[in-house]
Amino acid sequence: MKIVLIGAGNVATQMGRALVAAGHQVVQVYSRTMSSAAVLADRLHCDATDNTGTVDKTADLYIFSVKDDVLPALARQLAPGREGGVFVHTAGSVEMGVFEGLVPHFGVIYPMQTFSKARDVDFEEIPVFLEASDGQTRQLLETFAATFSKNVIAMDSAGRRQLHLAAVFACNFVNHCYALSAEILERNGLSFDVMQPLVEETARKVRFMRPAEAQTGPAVRYDKTVINRQSALLADDRQMRAIYELMSESIHRLALEKQNRHDKL
C-alpha cells in the first residue's frame, strides 16, 4: 500500500517506522517545516515536502498525524485531487466526521500509546482502534492495521473520546505526577532514580489487580496527621498543594466506595 504521512511528529515517526517494517511503502512525508519532514523521510527512505501543493496525489492512504486544531483546515486543503485515496487521522478526541464531504472514503486509526521520536516501540503490542466511513473502508483498514498490530479494535468516535480521556488519566497525568515527584526530590538533592523500583512495582501490580485494589498510602485510610504534615511541606507551592489535597480526597472517596460495595456483599 502506498502511504503519505501528513505530519512528522512523535506518532508519525513511530507509525512510519512500523509501516515500513510491515512491508508498506511510505512514499512521502509532509510537514509544515521542511527540516522536520526531511528527518523522518530520511529515516523512511522516501520524499519530503513542506508544500501542500506537492503532496503526492497517487497514494492509497493519507495518514494525518497533526495537531487537532490544524487537522480540519489541512484536510480541506489536501482533499482536492486526492479523492481516490483514503484519508485517516490518528487522534483520540477528533471525530471521524472531520473528513465528511471531503473524500469518499475516510476513517480513524488511533494507536493508544505514548510516543516519543527517540524511543522506538513495539507496534505489534499496541491496541489500535479503528473507525471507517463505510464497509469497504472498514475492511481495508482492518486488513491494513493487522499488518502492524495484533490488537485491532473497532470503536466509534464517541467511544474513542472516552478512551482518550481515560488514557490522559492513566498516562499523561501519571507522568506529570512523576515530574512533580522529581521536583521534590531534586530540591532535596535526590535523583528520581530512587523512585524507579516503586514506579515499576506499581505498574506491575495493576497487571494483576484492579487499580483501586492496588492503592496504598495515607489517603486510602485518610490518615489526617500524615496528610496534614505532607500538605504543610507544600505551603510554598499552592498549585502542588492543591493537587496533593484533591488527589488525597479522590483516593479516599474511591476507597470508601470500594468498602461500601464490599459491605453490601
Side-chain angles (χ1 to χ4, degrees):
M1 186 175 287
K2 290 175 62 177
I3 299 164
V4 171
L5 295 177
I6 309 299
N10 296 338
V11 177
T13 296
Q14 292 302 322
M15 180 172 276
R17 184 190 64 81
L19 295 178
V20 170
H24 297 288
Q25 182 185 6
V26 177
V27 296
Q28 192 180 48
V29 174
Y30 163 83
S31 180
R32 184 175 54 85
T33 62
M34 190 63 186
S35 57
S36 295
V39 168
L40 181 54
D42 183 63
R43 183 173 184 181
L44 302 179
H45 307 291
C46 67
D47 292 334
T49 184
D50 61 352
N51 183 347
T52 55
T54 61
V55 171
D56 188 286
K57 293 186 176 181
T58 65
D60 303 303
L61 185 64
Y62 295 85
I63 301 177
F64 289 73
S65 296
V66 296
K67 292 181 179 179
D68 292 1
D69 57 354
V70 172
L71 177 56
L74 189 57
R76 287 194 299 271
Q77 192 173 0
L78 288 174
R82 299 175 184 85
E83 293 88 350
V86 177
F87 277 26
V88 300
H89 70 69
T90 61
S93 291
V94 177
E95 293 190 358
M96 179 180 66
V98 70
F99 298 127
E100 189 79 46
L102 300 180
V103 292
H105 303 290
F106 52 90
V108 178
I109 298 176
Y110 171 51
M112 195 182 68
Q113 183 55 280
T114 174
F115 294 104
S116 299
K117 288 184 181 180
R119 181 174 174 79
D120 290 347
V121 294
D122 183 0
F123 239 90
E124 283 195 347
E125 301 301 321
I126 297 173
V128 173
F129 296 85
L130 296 184
E131 187 177 12
S133 58
D134 55 89
Q136 176 187 340
T137 305
R138 182 179 301 107
Q139 185 174 6
L140 182 148
L141 294 182
E142 287 176 349
T143 301
F144 169 68
T147 64
F148 57 86
S149 172
K150 295 187 295 187
N151 192 6
V152 179
I153 304 163
M155 180 172 287
D156 64 15
S157 292
R160 194 174 64 258
R161 283 196 299 272
Q162 296 291 334
L163 178 72
H164 191 212
L165 174 61
V168 166
F169 274 94
C171 175
N172 306 124
F173 288 176
V174 169
N175 190 74
H176 182 62
C177 287
Y178 294 160
L180 297 181
S181 172
E183 281 188 16
I184 294 170
L185 291 168
E186 288 164 7
R187 287 199 296 263
N188 291 276
L190 294 169
S191 166
F192 188 71
D193 289 347
V194 301
M195 290 292 169
Q196 292 297 342
L198 178 64
V199 167
E200 290 168 10
E201 174 57 17
T202 302
R204 279 193 295 265
K205 279 205 300 185
V206 296
R207 293 180 67 91
F208 306 103
M209 304 169 64
R210 291 176 59 84
E213 294 171 348
Q215 189 73 58
T216 61
V220 172
R221 56 188 181 275
Y222 216 64
D223 187 330
K224 290 187 177 181
T225 300
V226 175
I227 290 171
N228 290 338
R229 285 175 179 170
Q230 291 187 337
S231 180
L233 292 174
L234 299 170
D236 293 335
D237 190 329
R238 292 198 307 172
Q239 187 177 64
M240 194 183 296
R241 185 174 188 172
I243 292 170
Y244 175 88
E245 291 175 353
L246 282 171
M247 290 282 279
S248 295
E249 290 172 9
S250 182
I251 289 169
H252 186 58
R253 177 181 62 81
L254 288 182
L256 286 178
E257 290 176 0
K258 176 175 173 289
Q259 184 61 47
N260 289 337
R261 288 194 299 270
H262 181 268
D263 291 344
K264 291 177 180 178
L265 295 177

